Amino acid sequence: MDLGLKDRVFAVTGATRGLGYATAEALVAEGAKVVVTGRKQESADAAAARLGAGAVGVGGDNADPVLPGRLVATARERFGRFDGVLVSVGGPPPGFFGDLDDEGWRASFESVFLGAVRLARTAAAELGEGGAIGFVLSSSVHEPIPGLTLSNGLRPALAGVAKSLASELGPRGIRVFGVLPGKIDTARIRELHGGPADPSGIPLGRLGTPEEFGRTTAFLLSPAASYVTGVMLPVDGGARHGF
């Protein structure tokens, strides 16, 4: 199936590794162009080089208020258009409620929540009909994960923003969605679990791969998903048992 992504242009944040990079890779494989970000220009450039001529790197942190404008400007200057954004940000530090002080909450709020909101706000102002805004969230949107209190607080809040934005932007033909990864075999999951995560409780009996996540997210960003908006889609091998 042709996803209709040829020559479309997307910004993908946090795309030097893991789920963001896998999505950028899937988009480029389908003929799209991508602007990828990393905290440092060197890492963003390296990721873009691995992706090939259809990618350009921009260094910057999601918490930086000027980053959203830079991404849109780079997309237009380098590739001549801007069709959407995938907001992917590394998970906030682990910790239980009693371990977290105001500074921990404030720093994570700036990068995970407010940074994502700024990116979506800028994209919403720049996109036309057919545009798409995606958020990489977490299974914690539906079920808190022990020891990840910051994520448990911030990810569901972003899901609420995404749902509201889908209703507001729908009349303009702009779609908004969230993707909720479960146990995907990334460096982040290995760090949290001190090695490979336990696949028990996953009906498919294994961890997901970043490539599987990337293909799913590329589809949601594509015109092939033109009637899909406002959804929070688990990519978790069936681990979520609710509807």
Side-chain angles (χ1 to χ4, degrees):
M1 180 176 67
D2 181 4
L3 298 183
L5 283 167
K6 183 173 174 55
D7 295 328
R8 290 186 175 251
V9 181
F10 297 91
V12 183
T13 71
T16 60
R17 66 175 191 163
L19 303 182
Y21 181 83
T23 301
E25 191 173 43
L27 289 169
V28 169
E30 291 290 334
K33 307 294 193 295
V34 293
V35 180
V36 297
T37 77
R39 289 182 181 273
K40 297 182 178 180
Q41 186 65 49
E42 293 81 1
S43 61
D45 287 341
R50 294 197 304 273
L51 292 165
V56 62
V58 173
D61 192 295
N62 277 18
D64 185 349
V66 306
L67 179 64
R70 290 177 60 210
L71 294 183
V72 174
T74 300
R76 295 198 190 282
E77 290 166 8
R78 181 68 178 265
F79 301 119
R81 58 190 290 174
F82 175 64
D83 295 286
V85 61
L86 179 70
V87 183
S88 177
V89 59
F96 291 92
F97 186 80
D99 303 326
L100 305 170
D101 59 15
D102 284 1
E103 184 52 38
W105 280 102
R106 187 177 295 111
S108 293
F109 175 82
E110 287 283 340
S111 62
V112 175
F113 185 86
L114 188 54
V117 168
R118 287 195 192 102
L119 285 157
R121 184 169 57 218
T122 299
E126 295 284 343
L127 290 170
E129 185 172 358
I133 299 171
F135 296 87
V136 178
L137 300 174
S138 166
S139 60
S140 63
V141 165
H142 292 302
E143 183 69 28
I145 301 171
L148 295 183
T149 302
L150 288 169
S151 180
N152 296 339
L154 297 173
R155 303 294 197 188
L158 268 179
V161 170
K163 293 285 283 186
S164 297
L165 198 55
S167 296
E168 293 179 25
L169 298 183
R172 290 171 47 197
I174 300 170
R175 300 181 299 107
V176 184
F177 62 87
V179 195
L180 316 183
K183 289 182 179 178
I184 310 294
D185 192 13
T186 62
R188 163 77 170 174
I189 285 290
R190 288 174 177 265
E191 289 164 7
L192 290 174
H193 290 267
D198 181 0
S200 62
I202 301 174
L204 287 182
R206 61 176 178 84
L207 304 188
T209 68
E211 292 76 18
E212 288 173 313
F213 179 91
R215 290 193 295 267
T216 300
T217 308
F219 165 74
L220 289 172
L221 287 166
S222 79
S226 58
Y227 203 55
V228 179
T229 192
V231 299
M232 300 294 122
L233 180 68
V235 182
D236 63 2
R240 173 170 163 74
H241 298 297
F243 292 105

